[in-house]
Amino acid sequence: KAYKYVFMSVPSGYEPKASGCFPLNYFALSAPATTPENIDFKLTKVDQSSYRVLFFGDMHLAARNDDVKQFEKFAADVNANGKKGKTYAITLGDMTWDIYWDAFNFPDYIKQMNKSFSNLIVYNTIGNHDNNYQTTSNFAAKNDFILSIAPNYYSFNIGDVHYVVLDDIDCSAYDGTTSRNYKKSISTDQLAWLAKDLSYVPKSTPLIITMHAQVFKP
């Protein structure tokens, strides 16, 4: 209840209901912490015996330097190839660019994605530029992304593979300026959730984990 939303781990062989290309795998909560709430997730059974997953990295859509036009050309290629079989996509963070949010913010990102892609579910990973630098807490920095796009960490299954999206951008030291003094770390609440999530996954299951910043740095 502290996070004010609940998410599910999408089971293998199913797709969640989507709003355009954004999966409805989480919903906002509104009642006080002491009040139970009931959320119904809608799933559709699909054949995932053969599929492809595309990874979109650092798109930095900001409506500058013809980035949107370039992105639309890329999206046209994705749509053309998507006709050849079941296709999913996962972004790897920095879909937007915090310093240019006045011109292109999360509502613009949603509109652009839904305009650009057809018959494609896109799971999103938060990046450092998807955090609000004009805040002074880690929770507040992520709030815009969580309210608009996706949880900052969650999991889902496609076919025989278990996918985990993590958030390794710690904005606890943000001071409200463009210094963006973030650390690369995974919070203890995520690790506790991850341990519980993986306890339901057979150890023989292939596992793909996405996060924006590198885990190890040379």
Side-chain angles (χ1 to χ4, degrees):
K1 284 293 185 90
Y3 288 88
K4 301 191 186 318
Y5 66 89
V6 61
F7 63 82
M8 69 167 171
S9 184
V10 180
S12 175
Y14 290 86
E15 287 179 355
K17 185 178 180 181
S19 176
C21 61
F22 293 85
L24 298 178
N25 60 334
Y26 80 120
F27 287 98
L29 298 173
S30 56
T34 55
T35 304
E37 295 184 69
N38 184 69
I39 301 294
D40 293 322
F41 290 98
K42 304 298 183 182
L43 294 167
T44 301
K45 191 172 181 60
V46 296
D47 180 8
Q48 295 177 337
S49 58
S50 177
Y51 68 92
R52 292 174 299 176
V53 175
L54 307 177
F55 293 90
F56 302 164
D58 290 77
M59 296 184 290
H60 282 287
L61 293 175
R64 59 190 297 272
N65 297 335
D66 290 329
D67 57 349
V68 173
K69 289 183 180 179
Q70 294 173 33
F71 181 77
E72 288 177 345
K73 291 181 180 178
F74 159 73
D77 288 340
V78 171
N79 289 330
N81 282 282
K83 296 176 182 178
K84 300 175 184 178
K86 177 68 69 176
T87 304
Y88 301 90
I90 304 173
T91 68
L92 299 178
D94 286 1
M95 290 76 70
T96 63
W97 201 335
D98 50 353
I99 199 171
Y100 298 112
W101 277 359
D102 287 344
F104 195 99
N105 208 323
F106 292 128
D108 303 292
Y109 171 69
I110 294 170
K111 183 177 179 180
Q112 184 63 52
M113 293 290 282
N114 286 335
K115 173 187 173 184
S116 299
F117 295 111
S118 58
N119 300 318
L120 182 68
I121 288 180
V122 181
Y123 291 97
N124 288 272
T125 307
I126 192 171
N128 57 296
H129 288 289
D130 303 314
N131 282 273
N132 187 349
Y133 70 86
Q134 295 179 310
T135 58
T136 56
S137 79
N138 188 54
F139 186 86
K142 301 176 187 306
N143 207 36
D144 290 337
F145 178 89
I146 292 171
L147 290 175
S148 303
I149 307 298
N152 58 317
Y153 65 91
Y154 57 101
S155 67
F156 56 96
N157 297 273
I158 305 177
D160 296 329
V161 181
H162 186 66
Y163 295 82
V164 174
V165 174
L166 293 179
D167 174 13
D168 63 348
I169 306 298
D170 181 354
C171 304
S172 300
Y174 269 27
D175 59 6
T177 72
T178 55
S179 62
R180 299 189 203 86
N181 185 25
Y182 68 89
K183 300 175 183 177
K184 299 168 186 175
S185 66
I186 301 172
S187 62
T188 55
D189 58 340
Q190 287 186 76
L191 293 176
W193 163 80
L194 181 60
K196 190 171 183 179
D197 179 75
L198 294 180
S199 72
Y200 295 100
V201 180
K203 292 184 178 180
S204 60
T205 301
L207 175 65
I208 293 179
I209 299 176
T210 73
M211 62 190 85
H212 181 63
Q214 69 272 39
V215 181
F216 299 104
K217 185 176 180 180

